[in-house]
Amino acid sequence: MKRLPLLALVAASTAFATPSGTTVILNGTAIDPGTGKAMPNAAITIEGDHLTAVKENNTDIPKKGDVVIDARGKFILPGYIDTHVHFFQSGGLFTRPDAVDLTSVRSYKDEIAMIKRNLPDTFARYLRSGITSVLDIGGPLWNFEMRRIASSTAKAPRVAAAGPLISSVSRPQLDLGDPPIVKIDTPEQGREMVRKLAAQEPDYIKIWYIVPPAQSPSPGASPAAGQSDVERAAIFRPVVHAVVDESHRLKLRVAVHATELEAARASVEEGADLLVHSVTDKPVDEAFVKLLKEKGTILTPTLVVFERYGRTFANKLELTPEEKAWGNPEVIATLDVTKIPADKQPERLKKAMENPQPVLDSIQKTYDVALKNLKTLEDAGVTIATGTDAGNIGTIHGPAIFREFQLMKQAELSPMQILQCTTANAAKTFGGDTGAKIGSLKPGNYADLVILKSNPLDDIKNTSDIDSVMKNGVVYPADTLLRK
Ligand SMILES: [Zn+2]
């Protein structure tokens, strides 16, 4: 009887039912990218919400009373993990008024209201795409409420979250009273912000390290005109130093947005745990590669997002079949820029629509650097974690990951390497108890699985040939996940 209060506590902390009894997935091929192994004719045993065994099929299994899932001809993997998303952004055209101001068409307040209303739907689209865990790497303080909602929603991925971005630049267009981006001017302000965020138990502290341009695009010189890359990166570095120091003192990890080589280098030198984008301005050098390896810094390439703003504005968006099928149709409908009346088109949009070629050229230029950098880092053994930056304009929550896979393939990563980045490596960005129980087929892990109808090791495109998804031990046939 003494054990009752504990049981009651466990029941109360579980907002949705975990299945009781034993489920066995039989006859399929189990692929565990972290170990690089594929086991044909596997027997995967699940009890409640976790895996208990992954073995070669034998006659002991199943036992009487077990629920059996026959996976003959199918492929079972740990659920995918997207380590760079933003739930405060819809992926639609009105979600970043700081990039293109279309608030005269839809107010930012209405946009945010829609995003909050759609949250359960957005969560389900991740599961439909085989994604069972995501890292939201920055948003308003309500991100922590979002994380709580996800953890009490059955058809949702596991969510880790950062709060507002500690930034070198301000974005007043996004401030409705709970801003996602906060400009910090001094190291002491930075430390104060970290202490304030610590109360929310964030999974990361996020820094937005935007380096001022060397050349001002318009007449009137940039304050950093004529300075070297290192000098321009040095301007915000004292804040980065203070934020990393204070975060680590409080046992919090730090993620940094730094797409220029010198800012990325400075971030890693200061102790950043995670770089959330590729370096896109120049090839990474040997010293940078060595530094990442020595420090154990993880890097998320986010290739898909680099093409999506430009392609959307230029009316050249080419969504994948997966995005068209599993993305939110309401969001996708907003991405048709031809629907914006001419008198309401901001300059950036008008220019891109009239003359798309320079936009496409600039995307290609970014990929020429970023894809090569990814290959260099992967070959050198740097830990790469897959991520999309979903939620940004044109980057669709959930299925954007399949475009990311195509681009990783273009960078000449093998299917097994891509899957490793998406499971075992991505789990490392989670850290803690959850990070230790996702991303592989180890007994004791959460039973978060994706079951495919064709072999992803033959072609990475088969990763979207999804038969069913298991989250927390509950199996969902893929085509039921988006049914209302
Ligand atoms: Zn981002």
Side-chain angles (χ1 to χ4, degrees), residues 24 43-47 50-55 61 441-444:
V24 190
I44 301 172
T45 310
I46 296 129
E47 275 171 38
H50 63 282
L51 304 173
T52 51
V54 180
K55 293 186 199 171
I61 305 171
L441 297 180
K442 191 174 74 212

Side-chain angles (χ1 to χ4, degrees), residues 80 87 115-134 146 149-159 322 325-329 396-402 449-450 466 468-471 476-484:
Y80 310 141
F87 285 110
I115 287 168
K116 290 185 178 177
R117 205 168 51 239
N118 277 351
L119 212 45
D121 173 84
T122 308
F123 289 153
R125 292 178 191 281
Y126 277 93
L127 283 201
R128 178 62 187 86
S129 307
I131 299 166
T132 51
S133 295
V134 300
M146 174 280 297
I149 296 169
S151 72
S152 60
T153 303
K155 280 197 228 171
R158 295 178 201 283
V159 172
E322 292 90 342
W326 309 329
N328 181 313
I396 307 300
H397 277 297
I401 202 164
F402 301 111
L449 305 170
V450 56
I466 301 171
S468 46
V469 178
M470 180 176 275
K471 158 78 195 305
Y476 302 95
D479 56 9
T480 64
L481 273 160
L482 300 180
R483 223 175 261 164
K484 299 282 174 202

Side-chain angles (χ1 to χ4, degrees), residues 266-286:
S267 305
V268 180
E269 282 173 357
E270 293 298 349
D273 301 279
L274 175 63
L275 290 177
V276 302
H277 293 293
S278 298
V279 167
T280 57
D281 67 329
K282 53 181 73 157
V284 293
D285 54 37
E286 236 171 88

Side-chain angles (χ1 to χ4, degrees), residues 81-85 133-135 137 274 300 385-388 421 426-427 429:
I81 303 171
D82 188 335
T83 69
H84 193 144
V85 312
S133 295
V134 300
L135 172 52
I137 203 66
L274 175 63
T300 300
T386 300
T388 59
C421 295
T429 68

Side-chain angles (χ1 to χ4, degrees), residues 84 86 137 206 277 389 392:
H84 193 144
H86 299 281
I137 203 66
K206 166 82 174 277
H277 293 293
D389 216 353
N392 278 287

Side-chain angles (χ1 to χ4, degrees), residues 206-433:
K206 166 82 174 277
I207 299 175
W208 217 36
Y209 195 164
I210 306 292
V211 174
Q215 246 104 49
S216 188
S218 51
S222 148
Q227 294 187 351
S228 73
D229 288 3
V230 175
E231 286 165 337
R232 289 182 298 115
I235 299 169
F236 192 58
R237 184 161 176 165
V239 175
V240 175
H241 173 83
V243 168
V244 173
D245 187 60
E246 191 69 8
S247 299
H248 285 176
R249 191 181 68 80
L250 295 168
K251 306 268 182 291
L252 296 169
R253 287 171 304 162
V254 180
V256 185
H257 166 124
T259 55
E260 297 195 7
L261 179 59
E262 293 314 327
R265 192 193 319 273
S267 305
V268 180
E269 282 173 357
E270 293 298 349
D273 301 279
L274 175 63
L275 290 177
V276 302
H277 293 293
S278 298
V279 167
T280 57
D281 67 329
K282 53 181 73 157
V284 293
D285 54 37
E286 236 171 88
F288 180 72
V289 174
K290 195 163 157 258
L291 183 67
L292 284 174
K293 287 193 72 177
E294 271 171 16
K295 297 264 192 174
T297 317
I298 304 175
L299 183 139
T300 300
T302 68
L303 301 170
V304 54
V305 76
F306 295 135
E307 68 176 0
R308 290 301 172 83
Y309 275 88
R311 282 193 168 273
T312 302
F313 299 159
N315 194 26
K316 296 283 178 194
L317 189 58
E318 288 167 359
L319 295 179
T320 61
E322 292 90 342
E323 287 171 303
K324 286 179 189 162
W326 309 329
N328 181 313
E330 201 188 331
V331 167
I332 290 174
T334 69
L335 295 170
D336 181 354
V337 287
T338 63
K339 284 193 208 144
I340 303 295
D343 62 323
K344 297 201 164 165
Q345 291 167 0
E347 204 46 42
R348 186 174 176 186
L349 203 61
K350 204 175 283 181
K351 249 176 81 183
M353 283 168 81
E354 277 168 11
N355 194 6
Q357 199 52 47
V359 178
L360 299 179
D361 291 346
S362 144
I363 293 168
Q364 191 51 51
K365 221 176 113 199
T366 302
Y367 281 147
D368 287 345
V369 179
L371 269 58
K372 194 166 168 293
N373 280 346
L374 171 55
K375 176 71 173 156
T376 304
L377 297 174
E378 173 71 26
D379 284 351
V382 171
T383 305
I384 304 291
T386 300
T388 59
D389 216 353
N392 278 287
I393 296 177
T395 305
I396 307 300
H397 277 297
I401 202 164
F402 301 111
R403 177 62 183 150
E404 187 68 22
F405 290 169
Q406 284 177 359
L407 290 161
M408 292 169 92
K409 180 185 168 179
Q410 275 182 35
E412 293 174 35
L413 268 62
S414 71
M416 189 63 101
Q417 286 175 325
I418 297 171
L419 289 169
Q420 190 171 29
C421 295
T422 311
T423 56
N425 292 3
K428 290 181 188 163
T429 68
F430 265 67
D433 187 47

